[in-house]
């Protein structure tokens, strides 16, 4: 750390950012600490300003670190929408119409365009009232329309007048479900809206940023050239995702193959591509001007190409990070300053976090920086472990070492976020690295000379064949038996313990000190204790849960590592529902065996007492009675003679409490998402019978009962 001062600064900045995110209402403590650190730093600097040799001062260092921490807190505090009175999150009533501008390059989906809008004005309460200033961003899904009235592709800078109220982004309603609300909040988006074609009117064109407009125009141009020259969807979909970050044409099965092979990082623009472009460009310029690597025109050429690539990708965050880092390296070489990859990496992170502090919570930001840290810290050491004699052996060893070094620091975070690990990444990554080193410069060459007859066609054909080879190679590796370990769930304490083990283990290898060996043993013991405790809790778990499943019913009965799922959804016909809403819950609870029982059938798998009637279905599990109320027909008079433990209301069967209590007395009443929204809201507005607990899945999230 002594040789890498920016690491200390960026660490302090991150501490301030995390504190501001964790305690958003904290104010006076950071202010007091900030003024205190500023006073101490100012006093010590004044005391030493006349000294020829400035002494090392621990108090000054701590004061400066405290100031960076306060800067991190202040960056988050000032950007908070809750400090902006006109922001949508502070509005008592959301506007029923608003004027907004498109602020992103729209993403094309099967039936919609995904568009981000920045609000300017809004109208509340009356159709004839004035539009007033409002702030905030809304994620909009714009319906494409039918074949006769197809919607034009939205463009960056279009000004829309939109009718209809946006709504808050839903929080995750099932355990383990991806927190999309938090993800969007870190991008400054808190509301979303689904729009029909008639709900928006284009009233002007006013790009918020002309440089971003140029970037998106360049992206669309590059996308059209690559798509035309390559031809087949699997290949141009992969190239556009890899080079431009445009995933509209990427097939889901193709994406899964790359994920299974451990090569999914190649399907998005990243520092890897910038690094390849930098190396190829350096080699070309070395051939043109040998010995002139630090001359101003060589450095300027490299900077120009790198930043043009950043422009072409729409200033994608990973490319922007890498472009800043390489720019620092190039400028330091031009000024004959000492170059340090680790210090330069920290400096680029510091610059980005000062501009966008919430980028610290992005998985892409965390994984990309950890990968480069792993490469910078471990590659020199790992390269010394073996010395192949042949050129091919050296080349393969160096590629494998880079892949292992990157995985050493990223695999725990990958498990934490994605709950899977590709076993054959060492087999796939050398292939991917080699072919990427061909595809990146070949794509840039195709863009440069694609307009020239024959030359553009020849480069396009070569690019297509290389992309085809990449797809086939990755698909072969991804289909190997046991290619991916799945359903791996790490808690935050376990994740932190793994990183502590990696750090202590690396120090032990480098220093051979007994202290680090003792620390590694202690951490390993804590890690084993946590894992065993979590496993024992899963072994003895007994849980009833009513899950959120859009317009469907899903009730799970869990004993140990087995779950019986009662549902009316056909997952064979619609696997997306299970994958998106329930798969993570099953993995989080450590379920090894999942049995599905259809509520429409007269019996379900397993030893579960289960009876189905025209209006209801009754089951008994672990001594608790579960009643599914499907409908309440007036011409069928019935009343249960005993109190039931759980009554699950389905399909808007109940519209007032009296119609239910004439037939059923229940301790817990749960309304799942198969009920229509408006009748459910009306029912919840009524006063429920005394002694009955009411839980609405759409409002309250998953219902669980454990014993």
């Amino acid at each position: 750390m002594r040789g890498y001062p920016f690491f200390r600064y960026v660490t302090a900045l991150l501490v301030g950012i995390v504190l501001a995110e964790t305690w958003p209402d904290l104010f006076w403590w950071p202010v007091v600490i900030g003024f205190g650190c500023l006073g101490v730093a100012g006093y010590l600097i004044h005391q030493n300003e006349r000294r020829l040799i400035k002494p090392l001062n621990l108090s000054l260092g701590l004061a400066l670190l405290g100031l960076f921490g306060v800067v991190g807190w202040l960056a988050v505090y000032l950007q908070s929408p809750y400090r902006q009175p006109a922001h949508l999150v502070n509005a008592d009533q959301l506007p029923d119409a608003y004027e907004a501008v498109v602020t992103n390059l729209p993403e094309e989906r099967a039936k919609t365009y995904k568009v981000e809008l920045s609000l300017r004005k809004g109208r509340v309460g009356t159709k004839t009232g004035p539009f007033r200033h409002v702030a905030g961003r809304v994620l909009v899904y714009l319906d494409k329309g039918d074949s006769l009235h197809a919607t034009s592709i939205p463009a960056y800078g279009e000004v829309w007048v939109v009718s209809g109220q946006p709504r808050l982004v839903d929080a995750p309603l099932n355990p383990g479900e991806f927190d999309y609300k938090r993800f969007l909040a870190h991008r400054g988006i808190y509301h979303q809206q689904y729009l029909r074609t008639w709900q928006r009117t284009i009233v002007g064109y006013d790009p918020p940023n002309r440089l971003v407009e140029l970037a998106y125009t360049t992206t669309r141009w590059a996308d059209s050239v690559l798509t035309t020259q390559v031809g087949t969807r699997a290949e141009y979909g992969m190239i556009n995702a890899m080079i431009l970050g445009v995933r509209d044409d990427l097939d889901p099965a193709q994406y899964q193959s790359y994920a299974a092979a451990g090569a999914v990082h190649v399907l998005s623009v990243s520092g890897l591509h910038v690094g390849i472009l930098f190396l190829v460009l350096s080699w070309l310029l070395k051939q043109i001007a040998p010995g002139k690597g630090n001359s101003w025109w060589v450095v300027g050429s490299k900077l120009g190409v790198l930043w043009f690539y950043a422009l072409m990708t729409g200033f994608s965050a990973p490319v922007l990070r890498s472009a800043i880092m390489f720019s620092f390296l190039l400028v330091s070489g031009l000024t004959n300053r000492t170059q340090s990859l680790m210090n330069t990496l920290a400096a680029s992170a510091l610059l980005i976090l000062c501009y966008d502090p919430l980028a610290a919570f992005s998985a892409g930001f965390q994984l990309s920086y950890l990968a480069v840290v792993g490469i910078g810290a471990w590659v020199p050491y790992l390269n010394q472990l073996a010395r192949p004699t042949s050129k091919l052996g050296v080349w393969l060893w160096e590629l494998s070492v880079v892949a292992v070094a990157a995985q050493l620091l990223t695999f725990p975070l990958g498990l934490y976020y994605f709950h899977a690990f590709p076993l054959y990444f060492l087999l796939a990554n050398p292939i991917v690295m080699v072919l990427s080193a061909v595809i990146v410069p070949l794509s840039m060459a195709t863009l440069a000379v694609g307009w020239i007859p024959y030359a553009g066609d020849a480069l396009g054909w070569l690019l297509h064949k290389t992309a085809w080879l990449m797809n086939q190679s990755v698909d072969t590796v991804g289909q190997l038996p046991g290619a991916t370990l799945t359903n791996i769930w790490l808690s935050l304490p376990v994740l932190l313990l793994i990183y502590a083990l990696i750090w202590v283990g690396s120090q032990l290898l480098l220093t051979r000190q007994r202290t680090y060996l003792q620390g590694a043993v202690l951490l390993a013991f804590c890690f084993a204790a946590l894992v065993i405790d979590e496993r024992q809790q899963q072994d003895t778990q007994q849980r009833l849960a009513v899950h959120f499943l859009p317009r469907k019913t899903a009730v799970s009965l869990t004993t140990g590592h087995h779950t019986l799922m009662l549902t009316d959804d056909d997952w064979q016909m619609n696997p997306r529902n299970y994958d998106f809403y329930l798969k993570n819950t099953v993995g989080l609870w450590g379920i090894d065996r999942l049995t599905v029982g259809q509520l429409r059938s007269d019996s379900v798998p397993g030893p579960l007492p289960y009876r189905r009637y025209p209006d209801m279905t009754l089951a008994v599990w672990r001594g608790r009675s579960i009643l599914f109320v499907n409908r309440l027909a007036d011409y069928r008079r019935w009343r249960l003679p005993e109190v039931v433990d759980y009554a699950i209301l389905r399909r808007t069967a109940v519209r007032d409490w009296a119609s239910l209590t004439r037939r059923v007395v229940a301790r817990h009443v749960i309304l799942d998402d198969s009920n229509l929204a408006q009748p459910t809201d009306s029912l919840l507005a009524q006063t429920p019978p005394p002694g009955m607990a009411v839980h609405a899945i759409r409002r309250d999230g998953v219902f669980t009962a454990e014993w």
Side-chain angles (χ1 to χ4, degrees):
M1 287 291 242
R2 185 172 298 174
Y4 308 128
F6 279 105
F7 258 100
R8 299 193 294 270
Y9 304 150
V10 79
T11 301
L13 193 77
L14 283 169
V15 169
I17 290 170
V18 171
L19 288 176
E21 174 77 3
T22 307
W23 293 289
D25 297 326
L26 200 65
F27 180 77
W28 287 112
W29 275 108
V31 170
V32 171
I33 292 172
F35 278 110
C37 291
L38 187 62
V40 171
Y43 173 77
L44 293 174
I45 291 173
H46 176 73
Q47 288 289 101
N48 297 322
E49 68 175 330
R50 294 188 177 181
R51 296 186 181 183
L52 185 61
I53 300 177
K54 303 295 189 293
L56 295 175
N57 193 305
L58 179 62
S59 299
L60 178 60
L62 292 176
L64 290 176
L65 291 179
L67 280 176
F68 273 99
V70 172
V71 167
W73 166 82
L74 189 63
V76 176
Y77 183 86
L78 292 178
Q79 289 189 17
S80 172
Y82 298 99
R83 318 293 172 200
Q84 306 172 31
H87 200 280
L88 282 182
V89 296
N90 300 313
D92 295 329
Q93 184 178 352
L94 292 174
D96 53 21
Y98 56 87
E99 180 185 292
V101 61
V102 177
T103 59
N104 75 318
L105 189 64
E107 298 177 28
E108 186 173 1
R109 303 295 181 86
K111 298 181 179 180
T112 60
Y113 295 109
K114 184 179 175 183
V115 184
E116 295 176 12
L117 300 179
S118 177
L119 272 65
R120 295 180 171 182
K121 296 185 292 185
R123 184 188 63 201
V124 178
T126 174
K127 293 184 178 180
T128 59
F131 279 69
R132 303 183 185 279
H133 171 66
V134 292
R137 299 177 68 197
V138 177
L139 183 65
V140 164
Y141 297 90
L142 177 63
D143 187 22
K144 285 184 176 180
D146 54 36
S147 57
L148 295 177
H149 304 90
T151 303
S152 60
I153 300 176
Y156 174 81
E158 285 183 351
V159 180
W160 295 1
V161 170
V162 176
S163 62
Q165 282 189 338
R167 63 181 181 85
L168 282 169
V169 178
D170 294 327
L173 298 175
N174 293 310
E177 188 178 327
F178 175 63
D179 195 343
Y180 195 52
K181 180 176 183 178
R182 185 170 183 267
F183 170 78
L184 289 178
H186 287 152
R187 295 173 54 189
I189 300 173
Y190 296 85
H191 296 79
Q192 63 183 1
Q193 188 174 1
Y194 181 85
L195 289 183
R196 299 289 185 183
T197 54
W198 51 268
Q199 287 182 278
R200 65 116 191 202
T201 303
I202 302 174
V203 296
Y205 182 75
D206 184 19
N209 188 304
R210 291 294 176 179
L211 184 60
V212 174
E213 178 193 21
L214 176 62
Y216 286 151
T217 302
T218 308
T219 301
R220 287 194 297 269
W221 163 78
D223 178 50
S224 65
V225 172
L226 292 175
T227 300
T228 302
Q229 291 293 344
V230 175
T232 55
R233 178 170 180 174
E235 280 65 50
Y236 74 66
M238 185 273 287
I239 291 172
N240 287 349
M242 176 180 173
I243 304 299
L244 305 175
V246 178
R247 295 191 177 187
D248 296 349
D249 299 303
L250 197 62
D251 186 80
Q254 187 180 8
Y255 182 88
Q256 290 300 323
S257 294
Y258 275 80
V264 73
H265 58 277
V266 111
L267 292 180
S268 57
V269 290
S270 67
L272 169 67
H273 308 123
V274 179
I276 291 171
L277 189 61
F278 180 80
L279 291 175
V280 171
L281 190 61
S282 298
W283 179 83
L284 285 174
L285 290 172
K286 186 177 180 181
Q287 306 307 308
I288 297 171
K292 301 289 185 180
N294 285 334
S295 62
W296 66 268
W297 72 269
V298 171
V299 171
S301 299
K302 292 178 181 178
L303 288 173
V305 173
L306 289 178
W307 283 100
F308 175 77
Y309 181 62
L311 179 79
M312 193 176 69
T313 61
F315 292 118
S316 167
V319 174
L320 202 57
R321 291 193 290 266
S322 300
I324 291 172
M325 186 183 70
F326 281 113
S327 297
F328 284 162
L329 287 173
L330 288 169
V331 172
S332 64
L334 187 63
T335 56
N336 294 320
R337 298 181 66 89
T338 302
Q339 298 185 26
S340 167
L341 174 64
M342 305 296 280
N343 207 40
T344 303
L345 182 71
S348 69
L350 185 71
L351 185 63
I352 290 169
L353 290 174
C354 286
Y355 173 73
D356 181 15
L358 296 181
F361 301 101
S362 163
F365 179 91
Q366 297 165 10
L367 290 169
S368 63
Y369 273 100
L370 283 175
V372 180
V373 169
I375 291 170
W378 282 96
V379 164
Y381 177 79
L382 293 175
N383 272 332
Q384 298 175 5
L385 297 181
R387 299 182 182 276
T389 56
S390 66
K391 288 186 178 181
L392 179 61
V394 170
W395 177 68
L396 288 174
W397 174 253
E398 289 178 349
L399 287 177
S400 300
V401 160
V402 170
V404 170
Q407 284 285 357
L408 274 173
L409 286 186
T410 57
F411 87 88
L413 203 61
L415 293 178
Y416 181 75
Y417 283 126
F418 309 116
H419 322 298
F421 184 76
L423 292 178
Y424 301 126
F425 74 93
L426 274 178
L427 185 59
N429 270 277
I431 301 172
V432 167
M433 292 282 286
V434 171
L435 294 177
S436 296
V438 177
I439 289 175
V440 171
L442 200 56
S443 299
M444 298 299 289
T446 302
L447 291 172
V449 302
W451 56 275
I452 301 177
Y454 302 111
D457 294 338
L459 286 173
W461 179 87
L462 187 58
L463 182 59
H464 172 268
K465 295 305 178 186
T466 309
W468 176 86
L469 183 60
M470 170 92 88
N471 284 339
Q472 293 300 311
S473 302
V474 169
D475 191 52
T476 301
V477 174
Q479 291 183 1
L480 291 174
T484 309
L485 290 176
T486 57
N487 288 333
I488 304 173
W489 283 80
L490 301 182
S491 62
L492 184 59
V494 170
L495 174 70
L496 296 177
L497 275 175
I498 291 175
Y499 274 114
L501 269 170
I502 291 173
W503 183 81
V504 171
S506 64
Q507 294 301 310
L508 177 62
L509 289 174
L510 293 173
T511 64
R512 310 289 180 176
Q513 292 184 11
R514 187 182 183 89
T515 304
Y516 290 114
L517 176 61
Q518 294 170 344
V521 172
L522 178 62
L523 289 171
F525 176 80
C526 294
F527 174 78
L530 273 177
V531 172
I532 291 171
D533 179 64
E534 289 177 3
R535 185 70 179 182
Q536 286 181 339
Q537 291 182 22
Q538 292 175 354
D539 290 341
T540 58
Q541 66 185 340
Q542 295 187 65
R543 181 188 298 107
L544 177 148
V546 183
H547 303 269
F548 170 76
L549 198 61
R551 297 174 296 280
K552 299 290 183 180
T553 297
V555 178
S556 64
L557 308 174
T558 301
T559 303
H561 297 277
H562 172 246
T563 286
L564 171 62
M565 186 74 70
L566 304 177
T567 182
D568 56 353
D569 193 15
D570 189 348
W571 290 339
Q572 291 182 342
M573 297 296 295
N574 185 17
R576 181 184 178 278
N577 268 357
Y578 170 75
D579 291 341
F580 192 83
Y581 294 102
L582 299 178
K583 185 178 180 179
N584 282 359
T585 302
V586 170
L588 177 64
W589 290 347
I591 305 303
D592 298 330
R593 187 162 57 96
L594 177 67
T595 305
V596 178
Q598 287 293 331
L599 287 172
R600 301 186 187 94
S601 62
D602 293 329
S603 62
V604 297
L608 177 71
Y610 180 91
R611 293 292 299 274
R612 184 169 179 268
Y613 302 96
D615 285 0
M616 63 178 178
T617 302
L618 185 62
V620 178
W621 185 72
R622 300 290 174 181
R624 309 292 176 95
S625 53
I626 307 167
L627 177 70
F628 296 88
V629 180
N630 304 320
R631 56 182 171 176
L632 293 177
D634 292 334
Y635 56 87
R636 277 193 291 268
R637 303 287 182 178
W638 58 270
R639 179 180 176 85
L640 291 184
E642 296 183 3
V643 176
V644 298
D645 294 300
Y646 306 100
I648 301 170
L649 309 185
R650 307 176 60 227
R651 302 177 181 175
T652 323
V654 176
R655 294 177 180 267
D656 61 83
W657 294 118
S659 64
L660 179 69
T661 54
R662 285 196 299 266
R663 303 168 187 258
V664 178
V665 177
R667 295 184 177 90
H668 299 272
V669 171
I670 304 105
L671 293 95
D672 66 20
D673 204 60
S674 65
N675 297 278
L676 297 176
Q678 186 173 357
T680 299
D681 292 340
S682 299
L683 184 64
L684 293 173
Q686 302 172 24
T687 303
M692 185 173 69
V694 178
H695 186 104
I697 300 299
R698 168 65 72 173
R699 181 191 65 186
D700 305 318
V702 65
F703 172 85
T704 58
E706 301 183 14
W707 54 85

